[in-house]
């Protein structure tokens, strides 16, 4: 899509999400330490296993927003005369491209070792979930039927994780006493990296090609079906915004907010049987993360598109329009070293914590200036 045709709130929200990966979280933590507030990472960073904190929202929100953009891009493709089959093929090519980029980010092409290279990846996870959800969107007309399919996926995964134990659980020691005390009480199913059926799939199917010493992978096989639901929920959000054409209305923002409330309540209720665990992409995690994404998208949509307050979000818009670019770039180019080359001298004159804040500002600024240059040249990485 051209810049003028894009939904600005969608790009701004995606950019807000990517900002935290682009050094925003490190900046906030360092700034907090500078002003005497230590331990903030423990409050906003990834939880060790079960639970939910701010940084656990970043990955599912990105997949959610990828889903939200598809109803718009699909409609434009069909307006240009593309068939459903051709669009479906493009979705598959996008998945392959993202999987390859994921391997590139993980060093597959730099230090390849066939015996141990990691097969799963963040981008591969995004690509698979988005592709399957896009196929459902293309070939299942009724949103109610698709909603039922999504509910069936979550129910099926919940039952499997809750009732089917990992056959090889006895072969592994508990990683921590906390996990043992938390999950050893489950008799049949188990939501720990030792006893979960999804982790067993990782160990059995992927073998040494996973993280965490062969115990499980953060983007493992057990969570793949639920990534489809995350993308589907994003597509429902896109459909809500497309109701009645492109005219932005407060009613659409309220519908998004209502979807957030429903998703949150469902996720919290489900969490009594299926804990909220990002590393398993558990069904309760899907719903709670989607509640966050629905609510924040509602806010961005209301401010940017309904109220027309757009100037403030340009910073995030530039990031959002090349989000894959900056994700890949940061993993290939040591931007911290680049920032140090420009600001190392000035940083050496400051107290330690102030110097770290300055380096974070330099890191974010260099990344943003790169994206701004691409924005000005109308260059966007499309996969």
């Amino acid at each position: 899509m051209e810049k003028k045709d894009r939904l600005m709130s969608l790009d701004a929200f995606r950019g807000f999400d990517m900002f935290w990966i682009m050094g925003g979280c490190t900046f906030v933590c360092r700034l907090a330490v500078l002003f005497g507030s230590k331990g903030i990472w423990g409050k906003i960073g990834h939880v060790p296993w079960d639970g939910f904190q701010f940084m656990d929202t970043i990955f599912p929100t990105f997949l959610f927003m990828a889903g939200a953009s598809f109803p718009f891009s699909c409609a434009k493709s069909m307006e240009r005369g593309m068939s459903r089959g051709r669009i479906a093929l493009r979705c598959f090519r996008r998945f392959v491209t993202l999987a390859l980029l994921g391997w590139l980010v993980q060093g597959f092409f730099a230090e390849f070792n066939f015996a141990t290279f990691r097969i799963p990846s963040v981008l591969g996870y995004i690509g698979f979930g988005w592709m399957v959800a896009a196929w459902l969107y293309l070939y299942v007309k009724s949103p109610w039927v698709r909603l039922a399919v999504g509910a069936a996926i979550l129910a099926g995964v919940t039952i499997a994780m809750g009732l089917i134990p990992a056959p090889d659980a006895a072969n592994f020691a508990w990683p921590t006493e906390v996990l043992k005390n938390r999950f050893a009480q489950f008799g049949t199913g188990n939501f720990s990296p030792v006893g979960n059926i999804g982790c067993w799939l990782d160990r059995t199917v992927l073998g040494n090609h996973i993280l965490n010493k062969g115990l499980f992978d953060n983007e493992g096989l057990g969570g793949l079906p639920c990534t489809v639901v995350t993308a589907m929920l994003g597509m429902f959000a896109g459909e809500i915004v497309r109701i009645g054409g492109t005219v932005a209305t407060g009613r659409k923002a309220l519908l998004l907010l209502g979807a957030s409330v429903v998703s949150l309540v469902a996720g919290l209720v489900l969490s009594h049987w299926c804990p909220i665990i990002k590393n398993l992409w558990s069904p309760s995690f899907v719903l709670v993360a989607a509640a966050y994404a629905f609510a924040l998208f509602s806010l961005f949509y209301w401010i940017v598109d309904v109220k027309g307050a757009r100037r403030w979000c340009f910073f995030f818009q530039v990031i959002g329009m090349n989000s894959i670019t900056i994700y890949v770039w940061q993993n290939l180019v040591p931007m911290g070293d680049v920032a140090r080359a420009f600001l190392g001298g000035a940083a050496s004159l400051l107290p330690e914590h102030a110097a770290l804040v300055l380096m974070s500002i330099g890191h974010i600024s260099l990344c943003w200036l790169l994206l701004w240059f691409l924005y000005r040249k109308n260059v966007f990485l499309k996969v």
Side-chain angles (χ1 to χ4, degrees):
M1 283 185 286
E2 299 297 330
K3 286 187 286 187
K4 63 181 181 180
D5 296 326
R6 298 175 71 101
L7 188 67
M8 188 175 292
S9 60
L10 196 61
D11 285 322
F13 183 25
R14 188 186 297 110
F16 172 81
D17 190 57
M18 284 301 300
F19 166 75
W20 301 99
I21 296 178
M22 202 179 80
C25 186
T26 301
F27 168 71
V28 169
C29 290
R30 288 176 173 177
L31 191 66
V33 172
L34 178 63
F35 288 99
S37 179
K38 298 181 180 180
I40 188 172
W41 175 254
K43 299 176 182 178
I44 70 171
H46 296 294
V47 295
W49 186 250
D50 59 315
F52 194 75
Q53 293 186 163
F54 176 72
M55 286 303 290
D56 296 312
T57 68
I58 305 302
F59 186 0
T61 296
F62 189 88
L63 178 53
F64 180 97
M65 299 310 291
S69 66
F70 185 69
F72 298 92
S73 61
C74 182
K76 287 190 173 294
S77 296
M78 288 186 171
E79 288 172 5
R80 292 195 295 265
M82 291 183 64
S83 66
R84 282 185 175 83
R86 188 177 172 190
I87 296 173
L89 181 60
R90 288 183 63 179
C91 293
F92 175 72
R93 288 203 300 262
R94 187 187 192 204
F95 160 60
V96 172
T97 302
L98 285 171
L100 291 173
L101 285 174
W103 288 346
L104 176 66
V105 164
Q106 292 171 183
F108 176 86
F109 300 102
E111 299 178 1
F112 175 68
N113 184 337
F114 180 78
T116 59
F117 83 92
R118 183 191 178 202
I119 294 177
S121 69
V122 168
L123 293 181
Y125 231 44
I126 290 172
F128 178 86
W130 179 87
M131 175 187 69
V132 177
W135 286 349
L136 288 169
Y137 180 89
L138 284 168
Y139 292 107
V140 181
K141 286 287 189 179
S142 171
W144 296 108
V145 174
R146 280 185 273 118
L147 188 62
V149 170
I153 292 173
L154 295 183
V157 173
T158 298
I159 293 171
M161 286 186 172
L163 297 181
I164 305 174
D168 63 348
N171 299 334
F172 296 90
W174 287 90
T176 66
E177 284 297 316
V178 173
L179 283 176
K180 181 178 180 179
N181 295 333
R182 176 74 175 86
F183 293 110
Q185 59 183 310
F186 290 93
T188 52
N190 193 298
F191 295 94
S192 75
V194 171
N196 184 262
I197 189 65
C199 299
W200 172 80
L201 282 173
D202 292 344
R203 298 191 289 264
T204 303
V205 178
L206 301 178
N208 293 327
H209 304 287
I210 59 176
L211 289 177
N212 303 302
K213 300 179 180 179
L215 189 59
F216 75 100
D217 197 283
N218 297 8
E219 284 75 51
L221 297 176
L224 275 178
C226 291
T227 65
V228 176
V229 181
T230 298
M232 290 174 69
L233 291 171
M235 290 176 192
F236 288 131
E239 289 181 275
I240 289 172
V241 172
R242 290 192 71 245
I243 292 174
T246 58
V247 177
T249 65
R251 178 173 176 268
K252 297 178 184 179
L254 285 175
L255 286 173
L256 290 170
L257 188 59
S260 172
V261 173
V262 171
S263 187
L264 178 61
V265 171
L268 292 178
V269 170
L270 185 60
S271 68
H272 288 285
W273 298 276
C274 177
I276 300 168
I277 304 175
K278 174 184 176 293
N279 286 331
L280 295 180
W281 215 274
S282 65
S284 55
F285 169 77
V286 169
L287 293 170
V288 172
Y292 166 87
F294 271 120
L296 212 54
F297 185 27
S298 171
L299 180 63
F300 270 80
Y301 179 74
W302 184 76
I303 294 174
V304 176
D305 292 310
V306 177
K307 293 301 181 181
R310 300 189 168 191
R311 291 186 178 180
W312 70 273
C313 68
F314 179 73
F315 175 84
F316 294 125
Q317 184 188 8
V318 169
I319 301 171
M321 292 181 71
N322 253 320
S323 52
I324 295 293
T325 300
I326 197 58
Y327 178 82
V328 174
W329 180 268
Q330 280 198 130
N331 281 278
L332 297 180
V333 178
M335 295 302 291
D337 293 342
V338 177
R340 194 171 296 107
F342 283 98
L343 298 173
S348 66
L349 303 176
L350 299 174
E352 178 186 0
H353 296 307
L356 291 174
V357 170
L358 178 62
M359 296 307 300
S360 284
I361 293 173
H363 178 110
I364 294 170
S365 299
L366 287 171
C367 290
W368 191 86
L369 287 172
L370 169 66
L371 296 179
W372 176 75
F373 173 78
L374 296 176
Y375 175 90
R376 290 293 301 270
K377 296 297 182 180
N378 206 34
V379 176
F380 306 103
L381 177 61
K382 297 179 180 181
V383 295

